[in-house]
Amino acid sequence: DRARQTAEAISPVFTVEEAVAEMSFGEWEGQSFRELVDAGDEQLMAVYRDGLDLPRGDTGERFADVIDRMARFLGSFQPSGRTLVVSHGAAIRALVGVISGRGIEIPDHLGVSDNTGVSHVALHEEGPLLVDYSVAPHLEPR
């Protein structure tokens, strides 16, 4: 998957942590958003037009499920020094929801990250701090 490829490009040594996997899109997996819209998928409309937090593609996760998963990950995360975590957009947005306390309403207040955008989280005794989100100068034309 893309996160594994990115990790491999950064370092030959890494650990796969299922807790930071992308949201499961169930029966929608492998289909583009445009394909689902063109097919008139009513559940897609209920989620993205009406704002209902339903299991994606009937059998996938709700955003609340990903928030819970990322909260458990953050609560158990024991980094050693500077640690790089490679993940996907919905999981990263869920982590921001946990850190900010906005939870499930974070999608309404946060842009979608560019692929390979970099976010920094500092872990302090008082709790995690989002330092920046989706920084991507490496994607700008030179």
Side-chain angles (χ1 to χ4, degrees), residues 98-121:
V98 171
I99 292 169
S100 69
R102 304 289 304 240
I104 194 164
E105 58 181 58
I106 199 66
D108 296 334
H109 304 280
L110 188 65
V112 175
S113 178
D114 289 327
N115 284 341
T116 72
V118 177
S119 301
H120 291 97
V121 174

Side-chain angles (χ1 to χ4, degrees), residues 20-107:
V20 299
E22 177 60 306
M23 170 188 279
S24 169
F25 286 91
E27 295 171 19
W28 293 346
E29 293 287 348
Q31 299 178 69
S32 71
F33 188 80
R34 174 60 32 211
E35 289 170 332
L36 294 166
V37 168
D38 290 348
D41 190 299
E42 287 300 317
Q43 186 186 40
L44 182 85
M45 293 297 105
V47 169
Y48 293 102
R49 180 192 62 215
D50 303 334
L52 300 178
D53 190 28
L54 302 172
R56 301 329 193 242
D58 287 323
T59 57
E61 290 179 288
R62 297 173 309 125
F63 192 69
D65 300 328
V66 183
I67 292 255
D68 291 345
R69 178 164 44 91
M70 295 307 285
R72 287 190 306 275
F73 168 75
L74 190 58
S76 66
F77 186 58
Q78 297 293 319
S80 57
R82 288 184 182 209
T83 302
L84 174 71
V85 177
V86 180
S87 190
H88 293 273
I92 294 167
R93 292 172 82 198
L95 182 66
V96 173
V98 171
I99 292 169
S100 69
R102 304 289 304 240
I104 194 164
E105 58 181 58
I106 199 66

Side-chain angles (χ1 to χ4, degrees), residues 5 15 23 98 107 142:
Q5 292 170 349
T15 301
M23 170 188 279
V98 171
R142 293 180 183 224

